[in-house]
Amino acid sequence: MKKIYGIGVGPGDKELITLKGYRLIREADVIFAPKSKGISTALKIAEEFISDKKIVELEFPMGEDNSSRYKEAAEIIRKTSGETGAFLTLGDPMVYSTFIYLLSELDKIGVNAEAIPGITSFGAASNITKIPLTLKGDNFYLCDGEINLDILKNSQSVAVLKTYKDKKKILSILEENGFEYVYVKRCSTENEVVLRDRTAILEDKDYLSLIIGRRKNNG
Amino acid sequence: MKKIYGIGVGPGDKELITLKGYRLIREADVIFAPKSKGISTALKIAEEFISDKKIVELEFPMGEDNSSRYKEAAEIIRKTSGETGAFLTLGDPMVYSTFIYLLSELDKIGVNAEAIPGITSFGAASNITKIPLTLKGDNFYLCDGEINLDILKNSQSVAVLKTYKDKKKILSILEENGFEYVYVKRCSTENEVVLRDRTAILEDKDYLSLIIGRRKNNG
């Protein structure tokens, strides 16, 4: 590969890919997709757009130390023949993604890489539920599972990704600090579910879920 | 209008509009665009896509109390004839936008409204500069001009919009707290400038600029 684009394919709805992301996917000689336990959500989102393309799947097991895998994946990308490649990323390439780690390995071995922004899951969830991330003067806080209290106490809104880590604790902290919340699972897909009831939220076990919180009486 | 879509047109590059946003703009009977001091950045971004459309510009003067204007704008939208309308929003409709305020007024008078996410300026800036917003376990903090120290001290990265308020103070706070930073002006447009030098940043006066900060030695 002479050039690789890390492309954010958004949270689930294939129409939430940008025009630029779509164009670069269509122009790419090879599509690279991260896989975890045999599943590639990013690939599934873009599947209609890449049926005629060469696809290379790269395994990055979730929850493991993947540092040697990033190195290997960068080498695979370098050695694959073609002018340009598209590495698909769920959401945005710069937000809790595999591509960030891959980027520094690509850099080390001299592969020209560029990142193309995508719609994040929390951005889409905010639009779907009409809960603003930020009104004028607001502070917004993004984290993945562990809420920092000093931050929360000074924020007007929060998005918590990877809620499966300890959902009960997350909800309790939000309640104790005067936050309303909504739980969005499989955001923007046909399986999307929006839950506001504490018990229903706690019963759900989906990995692709997030919580948006907003301080009560704050617009 | 029977239905109005608040559409995030992204930070500047027209190709950063989503496929969905593009489709809804093309399908709309009327395009509504917020204007401030005679300028509509959102309209400019989408201009190639709407040359054949009826366009209604709505003035929301910057820095003023626009509460009565939101009410008026909602009424104008309601009274405009047509099936669907597209209200263009710079960046994302749920992030420091006029559309959030408009939404509650539209709700009050029974106009069906939906929000379509867009690429944010800080999301695009992060991709352009390859400075991650979040690695695994990171906290990310978004604000508009005033940095809260309790949040910053517990965050790994930060995006500060509306930097013109007090750029010197913003840079000093970031430096004192161990953050590296980059200043991005007119992100993703042909006039985009990326600055890393303190003096150059302080000299710039552009309104459409932001600062991305990341804690040093933190990936």
Side-chain angles (χ1 to χ4, degrees):
Chain A
M1 289 289 121
K2 291 234 172 86
K3 173 112 190 188
I4 178 97
Y5 293 95
I7 296 173
V9 297
D13 178 353
K14 63 177 184 296
E15 270 202 292
L16 290 183
I17 297 177
T18 63
L19 298 174
K20 189 169 189 174
Y22 173 78
R23 175 174 62 79
L24 291 169
I25 287 171
R26 289 302 310 143
E27 288 173 4
D29 298 312
V30 184
I31 306 294
F32 297 93
K35 228 176 158 175
S36 185
K37 292 176 190 160
I39 295 168
S40 174
T41 311
L43 196 65
K44 210 170 151 35
I45 292 169
E47 69 183 348
E48 268 184 43
F49 306 146
I50 56 175
S51 50
D52 56 340
K53 297 278 179 188
K54 178 180 174 182
I55 296 166
V56 177
E57 296 184 336
L58 302 163
E59 181 78 28
F60 299 100
M62 206 146 42
E64 288 181 25
D65 175 16
N66 281 319
S67 35
S68 66
R69 302 228 178 213
Y70 299 128
K71 219 182 267 293
E72 281 166 35
E75 268 305 328
I76 291 171
I77 290 170
R78 190 179 67 83
K79 284 181 185 158
T80 303
S81 57
E83 287 290 316
T84 69
F87 181 93
L88 307 181
T89 300
L90 183 62
D92 180 274
M94 292 293 132
V95 176
Y96 301 122
S97 91
T98 294
F99 187 71
I100 303 171
Y101 300 94
L102 191 57
L103 202 52
S104 63
E105 297 300 332
L106 289 165
D107 228 39
K108 283 181 200 163
I109 58 171
V111 178
N112 187 350
E114 206 175 301
I116 309 298
I119 301 293
T120 58
S121 56
F122 61 92
S126 161
N127 278 273
I128 286 161
T129 60
K130 296 182 186 167
I131 298 171
L133 289 190
T134 45
L135 296 175
K136 212 178 285 176
D138 279 358
N139 297 315
F140 164 69
Y141 167 34
L142 170 68
C143 65
D144 66 341
E146 294 265 349
I147 295 180
N148 178 297
L149 267 179
D150 290 319
I151 301 183
L152 190 74
K153 284 182 193 301
N154 292 286
S155 298
Q156 283 71 46
S157 65
V158 61
V160 189
L161 310 191
K162 310 216 175 113
T163 58
Y164 61 88
K165 283 184 183 171
D166 192 347
K167 239 186 293 180
K168 203 165 180 177
K169 193 174 166 194
I170 294 167
L171 297 189
S172 299
I173 288 176
L174 291 176
E175 285 162 9
E176 286 158 14
N177 288 278
F179 278 73
E180 294 175 303
Y181 52 74
V182 55
Y183 175 89
V184 186
K185 130 179 175 181
R186 304 265 156 184
C187 181
S188 86
T189 70
E190 56 190 9
N191 300 314
E192 176 184 287
V193 176
V194 176
L195 300 174
R196 291 166 196 271
D197 177 69
R198 188 180 216 277
T199 312
I201 295 172
L202 291 179
E203 275 168 6
D204 193 77
K205 303 286 174 222
D206 204 304
Y207 166 71
L208 284 172
S209 61
L210 63 96
I211 291 168
I212 301 258
R214 186 153 181 89
R215 199 171 280 286
K216 280 179 203 169
N217 309 318
N218 212 335
Chain B
M1 288 288 120
K2 292 234 174 87
K3 173 114 191 187
I4 178 97
Y5 294 96
I7 297 173
V9 297
D13 178 353
K14 63 177 185 293
E15 269 201 293
L16 290 182
I17 297 177
T18 63
L19 299 175
K20 188 168 189 176
Y22 174 78
R23 175 174 62 77
L24 291 170
I25 287 170
R26 290 302 310 142
E27 288 173 3
D29 299 309
V30 184
I31 307 295
F32 297 92
K35 229 175 155 177
S36 186
K37 292 176 190 162
I39 296 168
S40 174
T41 312
L43 196 66
K44 216 178 145 30
I45 292 169
E47 69 183 348
E48 268 185 44
F49 305 147
I50 56 177
S51 51
D52 57 339
K53 297 278 181 190
K54 178 180 173 183
I55 296 167
V56 176
E57 298 184 336
L58 302 162
E59 181 78 27
F60 300 99
M62 207 146 43
E64 287 181 25
D65 175 16
N66 281 319
S67 35
S68 66
R69 303 227 177 216
Y70 299 128
K71 217 182 269 292
E72 281 165 34
E75 268 306 326
I76 292 171
I77 290 171
R78 189 179 67 82
K79 284 180 186 159
T80 304
S81 58
E83 287 290 313
T84 69
F87 182 94
L88 308 181
T89 298
L90 183 63
D92 180 274
M94 292 293 131
V95 177
Y96 300 122
S97 91
T98 294
F99 187 70
I100 304 171
Y101 300 94
L102 192 57
L103 202 50
S104 62
E105 297 301 331
L106 289 165
D107 228 39
K108 282 180 202 163
I109 58 170
V111 178
N112 187 350
E114 205 174 302
I116 309 299
I119 301 294
T120 58
S121 57
F122 60 92
S126 160
N127 278 272
I128 287 161
T129 59
K130 295 181 188 168
I131 298 171
L133 290 190
T134 45
L135 296 175
K136 213 178 286 178
D138 279 358
N139 297 316
F140 164 69
Y141 167 34
L142 170 68
C143 63
D144 66 341
E146 293 266 347
I147 295 181
N148 179 297
L149 267 177
D150 291 319
I151 301 184
L152 191 74
K153 285 182 192 300
N154 292 287
S155 299
Q156 284 71 46
S157 65
V158 60
V160 188
L161 310 192
K162 311 216 174 112
T163 59
Y164 60 89
K165 283 184 182 169
D166 191 347
K167 238 185 291 181
K168 203 166 178 177
K169 193 174 165 194
I170 294 168
L171 297 189
S172 299
I173 289 177
L174 290 175
E175 285 162 9
E176 285 157 16
N177 287 279
F179 279 72
E180 294 174 303
Y181 52 77
V182 55
Y183 175 89
V184 186
K185 133 179 172 179
R186 304 266 154 183
C187 180
S188 86
T189 71
E190 55 189 9
N191 300 314
E192 177 184 287
V193 176
V194 176
L195 301 174
R196 291 166 197 271
D197 176 68
R198 188 181 217 277
T199 312
I201 295 172
L202 291 180
E203 276 167 6
D204 193 76
K205 302 286 173 220
D206 205 305
Y207 166 70
L208 285 172
S209 60
L210 63 97
I211 290 167
I212 301 259
R214 187 154 179 89
R215 200 170 279 286
K216 281 179 201 168
N217 309 318
N218 212 335

